[in-house]
Amino acid sequence: MAPLTILVASYTDSIYTLSFDPAPSTGSPTLSLLTRTPVGHHPSWIMSHPSDKSLVFTALEQADGEIVAIKYGSGGIVEGGEVVARANSGGADPCTLLVTEDELIIGNYSSGTIATLPISTSAPYILSPNPWTLSMPFEHVGRNKARQSSSHPHQTIFNPLNQKENELLVPDLGGDKIWRLTKRSDGKWAICGHVNFEAGGGPRHVAARGTTLYTLLELTSELAAHTFLPLPASPTPLTSLPTLFAPLPEPNNMFAAEILLPEPNASFPGTFIYTSNRNDPNPGGDTIAIFSLAAGEGQPELVNEVRTGLKHVRGMEFGGDDDKYLIVGGVEDGGVKIFERVDGGKGLEEIAKLGAEVVGCPTGFLWY
């Protein structure tokens, strides 16, 4: 297998370009830094265009939020990128973005807004300097007053269970809701429903399978499952369980961060959900929790915890043939590590790493 290229978002001023060789001619798998592309303050989220992977967008997580378009090489060895466009994000601290063929959909965490920008795969790439914005409703200060004093959109993602039309889901950590949006006749997004969660949960990210939506609750470190049918049907709660075998007594400083649900394949026919936990005081570092769906979509079972040796695991992403490899980053210490799925996907084994002195404060990943 040829070496794989991975782009790394971060809480620095740069996007890193890494090369991962899972099968070098001699020795163990290797992970190396090719270069870094300076783009601005805290490019924490990264996503490529669906029909042109060489066009990559990132969000600068700062008070005057900004979107940056970066053009990378389209063949051979991909190293540094070139910044080709910039635009206002329509709010403060954009922490998520969704890239469609002709539109960016942005979640601005601190200002409680989503925004859209028209885009193209050719210059000028971002077609308007003025984003359209929509403020998320906010009813009252939540149980976690430090984190829930206003709306905080934390992800913009299309409903993977609705194949007939594009329904946008926006987990709102501040409002303890997932907002459901569809497009109006004028092409603008409008709220048409929501999912409620227990006070203080803080929905952060979602994944889905069959007719079930899985939501990672950041503030209580829980995985919630709902039966999730197309609108106008209301979701039905199924279960909620901790992302840790032995949760710490409250109050504590641990938070769940990412949820991944790779498609079953020939190498990994079983279905597993992987979630990351942050700020574990254990000297072995933060954990990745692995849930099995062997008992059914609505009955996730925590079957394994893998110590990463990393501190503040925020982002992780599967890649390689059959999603065999998982890259994980420690924002506060440990750098970047690559794990290989073992035991049919029930386990993870570390196979390569780069220290924090090489890759600083990694927050997200894109297998190029």
Side-chain angles (χ1 to χ4, degrees):
M1 177 188 291
L4 302 170
T5 301
I6 306 167
L7 303 180
V8 184
S10 73
Y11 270 165
T12 68
D13 66 352
S14 297
I15 302 293
Y16 296 83
T17 306
L18 308 184
S19 177
F20 169 56
D21 190 344
S25 56
T26 59
S28 303
T30 61
L31 184 62
S32 58
L33 173 67
L34 295 178
T35 191
R36 56 188 291 175
T37 302
V39 295
H41 180 78
H42 287 189
S44 66
W45 191 269
I46 187 170
M47 195 172 188
S48 60
H49 191 277
S51 62
D52 181 1
K53 72 174 185 179
S54 69
L55 181 60
V56 172
F57 295 89
T58 188
L60 303 188
E61 203 170 321
Q62 57 190 24
D64 53 340
E66 191 172 18
I67 301 301
V68 181
I70 312 162
K71 190 70 173 174
Y72 285 85
S74 57
I77 297 177
V78 176
E79 294 194 4
E82 176 189 1
V83 174
V84 294
R86 294 179 182 270
N88 188 286
S89 75
D93 297 311
C95 66
T96 179
L97 56 85
L98 176 61
V99 187
T100 74
E101 281 292 330
D102 58 6
E103 184 179 56
L104 290 181
I105 307 173
I106 305 150
N108 292 292
Y109 179 87
S110 293
S111 55
T113 58
I114 65 166
T116 63
L117 283 166
I119 59 171
S120 170
T121 54
S122 57
Y125 302 104
I126 299 176
L127 305 181
S128 172
N130 302 310
W132 172 85
T133 62
L134 175 67
S135 294
M136 296 292 98
F138 186 73
E139 298 173 351
H140 54 78
V141 175
R143 191 180 74 180
N144 187 323
K145 294 179 174 57
R147 300 289 305 280
Q148 296 184 304
S149 60
S150 64
S151 170
H152 291 311
H154 219 305
Q155 187 181 32
T156 51
I157 183 173
F158 286 133
N159 177 3
L161 304 181
N162 188 345
Q163 302 301 318
K164 294 183 179 180
E165 64 176 337
N166 283 342
E167 179 190 343
L168 184 67
L169 303 181
V170 181
D172 184 345
L173 184 146
D176 281 325
K177 286 179 171 59
I178 293 177
W179 299 106
R180 306 179 71 173
L181 296 86
T182 56
K183 277 197 170 180
R184 306 183 311 223
S185 58
D186 63 359
K188 305 303 183 184
W189 293 99
I191 294 172
C192 54
H194 64 269
V195 185
N196 282 319
F197 293 86
E198 289 190 13
R204 179 182 173 98
H205 287 175
V206 301
R209 182 61 43 85
T211 59
T212 306
L213 182 75
Y214 306 97
T215 305
L216 192 65
L217 304 178
E218 174 179 337
L219 302 181
T220 53
S221 297
E222 292 177 299
L223 176 68
H226 288 78
T227 297
F228 202 69
L229 300 176
L231 290 164
S234 297
T236 303
L238 296 173
T239 189
S240 182
L241 62 164
T243 59
L244 300 156
F245 276 131
L248 296 180
E250 293 188 5
N252 63 70
N253 193 39
M254 288 192 66
F255 302 108
E258 187 58 282
I259 177 171
L260 302 175
L261 204 174
E263 290 288 336
N265 54 56
S267 299
F268 303 99
T271 305
F272 295 93
I273 299 171
Y274 302 79
T275 69
S276 66
N277 295 296
R278 292 178 289 173
N279 304 338
D280 196 314
N282 188 293
D286 290 341
T287 61
I288 296 171
I290 303 177
F291 296 84
S292 171
L293 295 183
E297 287 177 15
Q299 302 177 65
E301 178 189 3
L302 181 58
V303 294
N304 196 10
E305 281 183 331
V306 178
R307 291 281 171 195
T308 62
L310 301 170
K311 185 176 180 180
H312 201 83
V313 171
R314 176 183 170 102
M316 58 184 188
E317 193 67 47
F318 282 104
D321 291 343
D322 288 343
D323 284 330
K324 185 177 183 179
Y325 305 109
L326 179 67
I327 186 165
V328 186
V331 175
E332 295 182 0
D333 196 20
V336 168
K337 293 185 177 182
I338 290 184
F339 294 82
E340 180 178 347
R341 285 206 277 175
V342 296
D343 194 16
K346 185 179 177 180
L348 297 168
E349 182 177 286
E350 181 186 329
I351 59 172
K353 66 179 179 179
L354 281 174
E357 72 282 0
V358 180
V359 181
C361 306
T363 58
F365 303 95
L366 176 64
W367 292 78
Y368 191 83

